[in-house]
Amino acid sequence: MLPSALELERVRKVFSRKQRSLARRVSHTSGRKDVVALESLNLTVDRREIFGVLGPNGSGKSTLIRLVSTLLLPDSGTIRVFGHDIEKEEFAVKRLINRVSVDAAFFKKFSPLENLTYAARLYGMPMSEARGKMREILLRLGLKEETFTEPMERMSRGMQQKVAVARGFLTSPSLLLLDEPTTGLDPYSKRDVQAFVREVRESHDATVVLTTHDMDEAERLCDRIAILDKGKVIALDTAEGLKNLVPKQDGNAPTLEDVFIALTGGRMEDKELEVAE
Amino acid sequence: MSRLVNESRGAYAFIERNVHLIKRYWGWELVWFFYSLVNSLAVTYIGAGMERISGQPMDTEYLIMYLLVGTLIWTYLSMIFYSISEMIAWERWEGTIEYTFMAPVSRPTQLVGTTLFAIGYGVFRTLLTLLIVAAFFRLDLSQANLGGAVLLLFAGSVSFVGLGILAAVLPLLYPERGAQMTNAAAALLLLVSGVYYPIAILPVWLQWIARGSPATYVIEGMRACLLHRAPTGSLLSTVFPLIGAGCGVILVGLFVFQRVERYAKKTGRLKRSG
């Protein structure tokens, strides 16, 4: 039997944060505070699945994505990508994944083509193949040809994010990690990106893990959705299955947002202070 | 074979990226080049003025060449040091560190690309400085063993690559202050390595540190080569230990870097930008 695209077993991640001197004096504690980002997390994502992760700020979504991206190491537990352990077979995992994060990080003075060329070379792609693919993906995402050689710093946030999406797809990853990829995009751009995600899953057999605050997006794209709170999965099902967890609201079927609020319980302000993910 | 091809593509990515960075930040590069050129000229003019400062007759031409060799070799070695030590700092400044560290490219490959760029750019800038300085002073290279000088420069490059890797660890550990710490390390090397004076004039404890700096041997050897036409054979007793020690420091540097990278991944230090 083929291994799942992604398996997490009892994954725990704690960050030790330095407290500011005032907070330390008020709380009469030592200089460091442990913040639990993920608590004994178990999760399995099937091949070719678009798997959504919802959760309030500080719930552990970005930590989860960073762990799978090999940018963080778990304190305990195991993470396997297509059967490869992220610690023991880091290189094999890196070849299978790519990530689009909410903050499109680029060499700001480089053009989209220069940034994508850098990415293609890092991933060992032959340039003869990469050049055509870059243009194809950028055009498919709605970028105009004349912007390809403009410095990224002159582009709008939305255009930069589209280049980030193009970079994520350029290397044809088997597992694509999308960390709030459409945050800050206008509705047209959002639709472009969402359509592209679906298209890539169909054409390339890719598995996608998507974290988002956009409930419509999660419902539209994801086969299954996990709701994360305080580093734990508190619910996991299809969008329809999740809606069945909550009673009808004034006789109407609950929306995914209703489910989210009911399950996470309106403690979002507290959480925003709790962890800087 | 395919692994080798992929890694060479990865190494080239860093060379090409650094060339683009130089092109895009050309204004800054020009400012730094001007600063370094003026610094070289100012130091060399001290040699030209020594006879007047002391009121004693002196071999001014020798003094000029003595200081010029020091300043040019330091320009080159510090370029190697900064190019490598800043490989992480650049990623922090641009915010791309996570993307680069997530890519399937090994750290030694990143280092090979960065080093090749550093040597090429270092040679280019040093030669340009030499050409401009030559317009200000009469340079007598009739006593120079240029072949030996190239050999020493190569040995010096190897030794500074390792130091650069060790210094690159600092921005990984200290996102905000790491880059400044590498400046302090370079300043200490400048003080003890006999760039502008013989290390014999330093206090004994600083001379001990000087003996640990590869720049001391490179600069001493270069002066012997360019000012006293030391034969290449006599330089080998400096060249081989420099290359040997350099390779040792590179291995230690890579080991330390990998340990620190792991620590950074454990503690979440890759994310924060400086």
Side-chain angles (χ1 to χ4, degrees):
Chain A
M1 195 179 121
L2 289 172
S4 303
L6 176 64
E7 288 168 276
L8 287 92
E9 266 176 47
R10 293 195 298 279
V11 172
R12 180 178 158 84
K13 185 72 201 167
V14 178
F15 293 108
S16 181
R17 294 269 184 256
K18 218 183 239 179
Q19 279 188 302
R20 292 189 187 281
S21 55
L22 181 64
R24 207 162 57 216
R25 265 180 258 146
V26 169
S27 60
H28 302 288
T29 54
S30 66
R32 305 202 79 87
K33 183 190 174 196
D34 281 350
V35 178
V36 179
L38 292 179
E39 182 68 89
S40 200
L41 193 74
N42 293 303
L43 213 57
T44 301
V45 177
D46 297 327
R47 286 170 182 250
R48 294 195 75 241
E49 188 174 20
I50 299 182
F51 187 88
V53 182
L54 299 177
N57 293 330
S59 58
K61 301 188 299 295
S62 292
T63 300
L64 168 66
I65 296 288
R66 283 201 168 82
L67 281 164
V68 181
S69 308
T70 72
L71 295 169
L72 282 175
L73 292 172
D75 296 332
S76 60
T78 54
I79 303 174
R80 282 185 293 274
V81 174
F82 294 99
H84 300 287
D85 186 283
I86 63 149
E87 284 193 71
K88 294 178 190 138
E89 299 165 276
E90 186 184 343
F91 250 71
V93 171
K94 283 178 168 179
R95 287 192 194 289
L96 293 168
I97 60 169
N98 212 321
R99 162 178 173 248
V100 179
S101 64
V102 62
D103 45 345
F106 286 105
F107 289 95
K108 294 174 276 293
K109 292 199 181 288
F110 290 13
S111 68
L113 286 185
E114 285 167 342
N115 271 296
L116 294 186
T117 299
Y118 173 60
R121 291 199 199 281
L122 285 185
Y123 280 78
M125 287 178 78
M127 282 316 292
S128 51
E129 175 196 336
R131 274 191 203 100
K133 207 168 168 191
M134 283 177 213
R135 289 179 182 278
E136 186 191 318
I137 300 176
L138 288 172
L139 288 170
R140 170 66 190 79
L141 285 167
L143 262 83
K144 296 199 172 76
E145 188 109 27
E146 57 264 31
T147 63
F148 291 3
T149 50
E150 250 185 51
M152 296 285 295
E153 64 186 357
R154 284 194 211 148
M155 293 182 163
S156 67
R157 157 105 178 85
M159 282 165 81
Q160 288 186 10
Q161 193 59 14
K162 283 185 176 182
V163 180
V165 172
R167 184 175 61 180
F169 285 101
L170 177 66
T171 58
S172 304
S174 302
L175 175 63
L176 185 63
L177 305 160
L178 302 176
D179 192 5
E180 299 180 38
T182 58
T183 299
L185 295 188
D186 65 54
Y188 298 107
S189 302
K190 258 189 194 182
R191 289 283 170 108
D192 282 341
V193 171
Q194 288 166 359
F196 192 59
V197 170
R198 266 197 300 262
E199 201 178 297
V200 167
R201 191 261 294 264
E202 298 310 321
S203 56
H204 293 300
D205 265 2
T207 306
V208 179
V209 175
L210 167 78
T211 76
T212 181
H213 285 297
D214 184 334
M215 306 293 152
D216 290 337
E217 179 172 273
E219 194 164 354
R220 203 174 299 145
L221 283 180
C222 301
D223 302 310
R224 286 189 304 153
I225 299 167
I227 298 182
L228 216 60
D229 191 24
K230 290 184 174 174
K232 291 178 186 164
V233 175
I234 55 170
L236 170 59
D237 208 331
T238 60
E240 287 311 309
L242 288 174
K243 286 178 191 171
N244 291 334
L245 296 174
V246 174
K248 287 188 174 179
Q249 318 271 308
D250 302 326
N252 296 321
T255 63
L256 201 52
E257 191 171 289
D258 296 327
V259 177
F260 179 84
I261 289 172
L263 294 179
T264 58
R267 301 181 305 276
M268 289 173 76
E269 293 82 0
D270 298 339
K271 285 174 189 117
E272 278 176 33
L273 291 172
E274 205 173 277
V275 182
E277 271 191 315
Chain B
M1 184 64 186
S2 76
R3 173 82 194 259
L4 192 67
V5 171
N6 285 351
E7 293 292 328
S8 52
R9 281 181 186 140
Y12 185 69
F14 294 102
I15 299 174
E16 189 179 50
R17 183 199 74 178
N18 288 347
V19 171
H20 285 321
L21 283 171
I22 297 290
K23 282 195 299 193
R24 297 297 183 276
Y25 290 95
W26 66 268
W28 279 107
E29 286 302 315
L30 202 62
V31 167
W32 285 118
F33 177 70
F34 182 74
Y35 173 81
S36 142
L37 176 67
V38 169
N39 202 36
S40 297
L41 285 171
V43 167
T44 314
Y45 269 119
I46 294 173
M50 272 314 284
E51 212 170 60
R52 289 189 182 209
I53 295 168
S54 67
Q56 304 289 322
M58 280 182 192
D59 185 353
T60 307
E61 276 189 23
Y62 179 82
L63 266 177
I64 287 175
M65 284 300 291
Y66 183 93
L67 289 170
L68 191 60
V69 169
T71 190
L72 285 178
I73 300 307
W74 178 250
T75 300
Y76 173 75
L77 292 179
S78 59
M79 274 288 300
I80 302 275
F81 177 78
Y82 279 120
S83 296
I84 295 169
S85 64
E86 285 179 353
M87 70 181 182
I88 300 303
W90 267 108
E91 303 274 2
R92 292 261 188 220
W93 293 327
E94 296 281 338
T96 51
I97 189 164
E98 286 199 330
Y99 193 79
T100 302
F101 274 62
M102 202 183 74
V105 63
S106 68
R107 228 45 69 211
T109 299
Q110 180 171 6
L111 184 76
V112 167
T114 308
T115 302
L116 289 175
F117 167 81
I119 291 175
Y121 190 49
V123 167
F124 169 73
R125 269 187 54 164
T126 308
L127 285 178
L128 197 58
T129 308
L130 177 64
L131 276 178
I132 296 172
V133 171
F136 286 78
F137 302 99
R138 204 179 73 78
L139 305 181
D140 179 14
L141 289 172
S142 60
Q143 294 303 307
N145 168 9
L146 293 175
V150 170
L151 190 65
L152 262 171
L153 213 57
F154 167 73
S157 308
V158 175
S159 62
F160 261 64
V161 168
L163 292 179
I165 304 171
L166 282 171
V169 160
L170 295 169
L172 202 56
L173 274 176
Y174 307 102
E176 287 91 8
R177 301 179 301 274
Q180 285 77 6
M181 288 176 178
T182 60
N183 287 330
L188 180 66
L189 286 173
L190 173 66
L191 174 72
V192 301
S193 303
V195 175
Y196 304 125
Y197 38 76
I199 61 165
I201 64 159
L202 294 170
V204 175
W205 66 276
L206 273 182
Q207 287 186 39
W208 277 102
I209 302 177
R211 286 288 155 213
S213 161
T216 304
Y217 304 98
V218 180
I219 291 168
E220 272 177 6
M222 276 291 186
R223 285 193 175 120
C225 231
L226 297 174
L227 303 180
H228 305 294
R229 204 181 197 130
T232 306
S234 72
L235 299 172
L236 297 181
S237 60
T238 305
V239 167
F240 286 126
L242 265 178
I243 293 177
C247 290
V249 179
I250 289 174
L251 289 177
V252 171
L254 280 173
F255 175 76
V256 171
F257 195 96
Q258 274 164 357
R259 301 298 297 175
V260 171
E261 183 177 339
R262 193 174 163 80
Y263 172 76
K265 287 181 176 181
K266 272 276 179 201
T267 52
R269 280 170 194 254
L270 288 185
K271 191 195 169 201
R272 288 158 64 205
S273 302

